[in-house]
Amino acid sequence: MKLDDYNQEQRYDATVLSSERMTAEGSDAEVRELVLEVDGTTFDYAVGQSIGVITPGPHALGHDYHFRLYSVADTPSVSADGKPRITIAVRRVSYIDEYSGERYNGISSNYLCDRSVGDTLQITGPYGYAFEVPEDKDANLVLIGAGTGIAPFRAFVKHIYQDVGDWSGKVRLFYGAHTGLELAYMNEQRDDFALYYDEDTFEAFSALSPRPNWADPIAWDYCLEERSEEILEMLDNPKTYVYVAGKEEVRDELDTVFARMTGSDERWQRRRAEMVAGGRWTELLY
């Protein structure tokens, strides 16, 4: 589904309640957590959904506004007067034009990272149910996120242990980044997942590039293959569900690793297709 296909007619004003940097000041990656309060009480959202952010223009290509989706990063909450509050994680991005060599700032990410407390912006949605919680509390969950793809899992895990409760299935979180400084919600500055480290069913692992200064890809092979026995055993279990979030290239990186783990690309593609068909493999990629 393309961004243009999302209904953007219904828009809501939202006020920035807070904007907190979640990565260290010395990191090249600036990831911020924004908490927004929606003006009105009719905006209803759930864990696993996304919201759209409207960045006013005009922009370089003549667009009156710019539209991007951001995953909800916390469970739903409301203010004392019933206004919905939404948490999102945003990474400030820029890119190099491959033809001109010029650097350009990402429109939406820089717009959001530059917002201050009290600023207002427009949002749309909510959209989709990317990550639905299985009905059986003994289901196993494999969560794989890269970069700001960790945001929906922060809400997902919180919902499982605080709202659903009594979760007896295994929950394994694999979080990829180029360096430890890029990790959000799971670093020295702020580790929201520490709330669940004492849970017998929860474990979290970091996949970091072995040579970050060389721009190597995220080391999914080290992180996943070291635990291949448990992971493959979980994948064989019909009560195991896999959720993947991050940039689209994560799919290819994981395909390479899982193909090695299962013995061949053909075998892995067949295994993943079976899980997709059974509703046990879900992706939220951008």
Side-chain angles (χ1 to χ4, degrees):
M1 188 172 182
K2 299 179 180 179
L3 286 175
D4 291 342
D5 295 330
Y6 287 88
N7 188 334
Q8 304 164 31
E9 293 182 4
Q10 179 64 60
R11 301 183 181 184
Y12 303 84
D13 290 329
T15 302
V16 178
L17 295 185
S18 65
S19 177
E20 174 188 352
R21 179 167 179 147
M22 294 187 295
T23 49
E25 290 295 335
S27 169
D28 290 337
E30 179 184 353
V31 180
R32 306 192 71 85
E33 179 187 83
L34 276 72
V35 179
L36 310 175
E37 183 174 272
V38 183
D39 185 14
T41 59
T42 60
F43 189 91
D44 189 23
Y45 71 97
V47 170
Q49 291 189 301
S50 301
I51 64 168
V53 173
I54 303 294
T55 302
H59 296 291
L61 296 178
H63 300 139
D64 293 331
Y65 64 89
H66 195 70
F67 174 75
R68 279 293 179 268
L69 294 179
Y70 290 89
S71 299
V72 173
D74 202 349
T75 52
S77 64
V78 296
S79 64
D81 55 356
K83 293 183 178 180
R85 291 183 173 178
I86 304 169
T87 300
I88 59 175
V90 182
R91 174 172 176 159
R92 188 189 295 273
V93 298
S94 62
Y95 63 94
I96 304 295
D97 186 278
E98 61 182 55
Y99 298 106
S100 67
E102 294 185 60
R103 178 180 294 274
Y104 293 93
N105 291 328
I107 296 173
S108 294
S109 69
N110 281 269
Y111 171 75
L112 287 169
C113 287
D114 289 340
R115 295 309 92 196
S116 301
V117 173
D119 286 349
T120 60
L121 49 91
Q122 284 193 323
I123 66 171
T124 63
Y127 304 107
Y129 282 93
F131 299 146
E132 293 188 4
V133 179
E135 293 183 2
D136 296 328
K137 293 185 179 182
D138 61 346
N140 300 315
L141 311 177
V142 178
L143 317 177
I144 304 175
T148 52
I150 195 66
F153 294 135
R154 187 235 188 179
F156 196 60
V157 172
K158 181 177 180 179
H159 177 61
I160 287 170
Y161 286 110
Q162 296 188 17
D163 299 334
V164 178
D166 299 322
W167 196 266
S168 60
K170 293 181 179 180
V171 180
R172 298 293 182 264
L173 171 66
F174 298 92
Y175 182 17
H178 287 285
T179 72
L181 294 176
E182 292 187 10
L183 293 173
Y185 293 122
M186 208 168 80
N187 56 31
E188 292 183 2
Q189 185 168 318
R190 180 171 173 180
D191 188 355
D192 288 21
F193 291 101
L195 294 170
Y196 318 108
Y197 291 162
D198 289 337
E199 297 281 350
D200 293 336
T201 56
F202 180 78
E203 289 189 68
F205 308 96
S206 298
L208 303 177
S209 295
R211 301 180 304 171
N213 294 329
W214 292 64
D216 282 359
I218 293 170
W220 294 116
D221 48 355
Y222 295 98
C223 187
L224 295 171
E225 290 182 31
E226 285 181 354
R227 299 163 184 87
S228 62
E229 183 176 348
E230 180 186 37
I231 293 173
L232 292 177
E233 182 180 329
M234 292 174 70
L235 295 185
D236 284 336
N237 188 329
K239 285 192 173 183
T240 293
Y241 296 77
V242 179
Y243 305 84
V244 181
K247 292 187 176 180
E248 287 188 349
E249 54 259 34
V250 171
R251 181 192 292 120
D252 293 336
E253 294 170 358
L254 292 177
D255 279 346
T256 299
V257 175
F258 278 111
R260 286 202 299 266
M261 289 169 58
T262 55
S264 72
D265 182 65
E266 181 181 0
R267 187 176 300 169
W268 166 242
Q269 293 299 333
R270 185 168 59 249
R271 172 79 66 87
R272 190 181 70 167
E274 291 171 353
M275 296 189 70
V276 170
R280 299 194 297 118
W281 182 284
T282 305
E283 296 178 351
L284 177 59
L285 304 177
Y286 57 92

